[in-house]
Amino acid sequence: MKSLADLRKDYARAELDEAHADIDPLKQFEHWLQQAIEAEVPEPNAMTVATVGESGRPSSRVVLIKQVDARGIVWYTNYASRKGRELAANPFAALQFHWVELERVVRIEGRVEKVSEAESDAYFASRPLASRIGAWASPQSEPIESRGTLLKRAAEFGLRYGIHPPRPPHWGGYRLVPDYWEFWQGRPSRLHDRLAYALQPDGAWARKRLAP
């Protein structure tokens, strides 16, 4: 196997400067997300969510963004999962998008809240039937004996609810309300571009360049 220390890549696809970056981080994010979609980056809506529970030990996992607007960034999951328990204990999280093909990273931090039940109901109803049954079948983050156990539970809930399963009470959406954004664009010689936006008490965003 090739030495990991010898794996290198020089970045030269684009640049990120203050003259062309939007003063509103949400608009800048939406612009980059649209470019990732148009470039057919694999799963451009995939993001890492990092949380910290009562123990102070961080954990991370990949989820899919389902909505973004002025209110924040939304994803859906099992509230009883490890991330759900950690968010109940410490309602703050950090998100990261990594669009490798575009040599870009976006980091976002902020407070997390549950979306309304109406929003969760509406999104749940839009999901494929198998995914809705899966939300009932999977005791997310809990130990199970085997994959067979999971498939058996899926079959049981499928028989119970048919084609109209209701949303499980333990399943729904979270919304991260950003107070910090960071945009990273890979550049040659590891002299990357980094622009950070921090929310100010008056609701304005202060932008500054960070050393790579």
Side-chain angles (χ1 to χ4, degrees):
M1 183 177 74
K2 186 174 180 179
S3 170
L4 295 177
D6 293 332
L7 293 178
R8 291 184 176 84
K9 176 184 176 181
D10 208 18
Y11 303 99
R13 287 184 58 94
E15 61 184 37
L16 178 64
D17 61 46
E18 291 82 348
H20 297 95
D22 202 290
I23 60 173
D24 182 340
L26 174 60
K27 291 181 180 179
Q28 179 64 32
F29 174 74
E30 291 175 330
H31 176 60
W32 271 19
L33 177 59
Q34 184 60 38
Q35 288 187 333
I37 294 171
E38 292 173 355
E40 299 184 344
V41 169
E43 295 198 283
N45 57 333
M47 63 181 182
T48 299
V49 178
T51 55
V52 176
E54 291 180 328
S55 68
R57 187 185 183 97
S59 64
S60 64
R61 72 289 292 163
V62 176
V63 304
L64 301 178
I65 180 178
K66 291 301 178 181
Q67 184 180 351
V68 56
D69 56 28
R71 296 176 298 168
I73 294 175
V74 174
W75 70 95
Y76 290 85
T77 190
N78 188 315
Y79 290 143
S81 64
R82 179 177 177 180
K83 59 183 168 298
R85 296 193 301 269
E86 291 181 344
L87 286 170
N90 182 14
F92 292 87
L95 312 179
Q96 178 171 290
F97 293 82
H98 186 193
W99 298 310
V100 178
E101 292 78 4
L102 300 180
E103 301 173 354
R104 288 174 173 171
V105 174
V106 180
R107 297 176 53 220
I108 312 162
E109 299 174 14
R111 185 176 181 86
V112 178
E113 60 190 23
K114 290 182 178 179
V115 305
S116 70
E117 292 195 5
E119 289 175 278
S120 290
D121 287 341
Y123 176 70
F124 186 79
S126 75
R127 304 181 83 208
L129 176 59
S131 297
R132 284 178 279 156
I133 294 298
W136 281 100
S138 175
Q140 194 174 108
S141 301
E142 296 299 321
I144 57 175
E145 288 186 7
S146 66
R147 179 169 179 79
T149 300
L150 193 61
L151 296 177
K152 180 181 178 182
R153 286 175 57 88
E156 291 172 349
F157 281 108
L159 289 173
R160 181 184 303 181
Y161 292 121
I163 62 172
H164 297 295
R167 177 177 62 88
H170 57 263
W171 190 97
Y174 286 108
R175 175 179 288 108
L176 182 138
V177 181
D179 56 27
Y180 179 85
W181 299 75
E182 185 179 318
F183 297 85
W184 181 98
Q185 176 70 62
R187 297 297 303 277
S189 304
R190 296 298 188 267
L191 300 178
H192 311 303
D193 289 328
R194 292 175 65 190
L195 294 183
Y197 298 71
L199 186 63
Q200 304 302 295
D202 63 358
W205 291 97
R207 186 178 66 186
K208 58 185 176 182
R209 175 172 287 269
L210 303 180

